[in-house]
C-alpha cells in the first residue's frame, strides 16, 4: 500500500477530476482519495466529485495493488 499526501494548487472541478479518473482506470490497483475523513473511489467520477476538493486542500492518495509502485 502506498499513501501520498498531495496539496492541490488548483480546484479539482470536473475537467481535472475527469483527467484523474481516466488515468486511474488505466491501473489494476485500487486507487482512493481521502479528504476530511471521506474516502472516494479514484476510478469513479461521481465519487471524486463528491469530495469537493478545492485549491489548497491536502488530499491523501491511497494506492493498493499490483502496480502500486
Amino acid at each position: 500500500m502506498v499513501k501520498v499526501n498531495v496539496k492541490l494548487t488548483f480546484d479539482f472541478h470536473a475537467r481535472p477530476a475527469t483527467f484523474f479518473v481516466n488515468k486511474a482506470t488505466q491501473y489494476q490497483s485500487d486507487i482512493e482519495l481521502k479528504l476530511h475523513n471521506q474516502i472516494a473511489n479514484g476510478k469513479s467520477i461521481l465519487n471524486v466529485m463528491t469530495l469537493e476538493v478545492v485549491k489548497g486542500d491536502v488530499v491523501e492518495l491511497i494506492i493498493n495493488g499490483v502496480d502500486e509502485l
Side-chain angles (χ1 to χ4, degrees), residues 6-53:
V6 180
K7 183 174 182 178
L8 296 181
T9 59
F10 53 88
D11 290 343
F12 212 52
H13 54 79
R15 185 171 291 152
T18 299
F19 178 81
F20 179 87
V21 170
N22 286 339
K23 287 295 180 185
T25 57
Q26 294 176 6
Y27 296 94
Q28 294 178 16
S29 295
D30 294 328
I31 299 175
E32 297 176 326
L33 296 170
K34 183 177 179 182
L35 177 68
H36 306 304
N37 295 322
Q38 287 184 288
I39 297 177
N41 178 350
K43 296 182 180 183
S44 166
I45 189 66
L46 290 176
N47 278 204
V48 172
M49 293 297 296
T50 300
L51 288 180
E52 298 179 358
V53 179

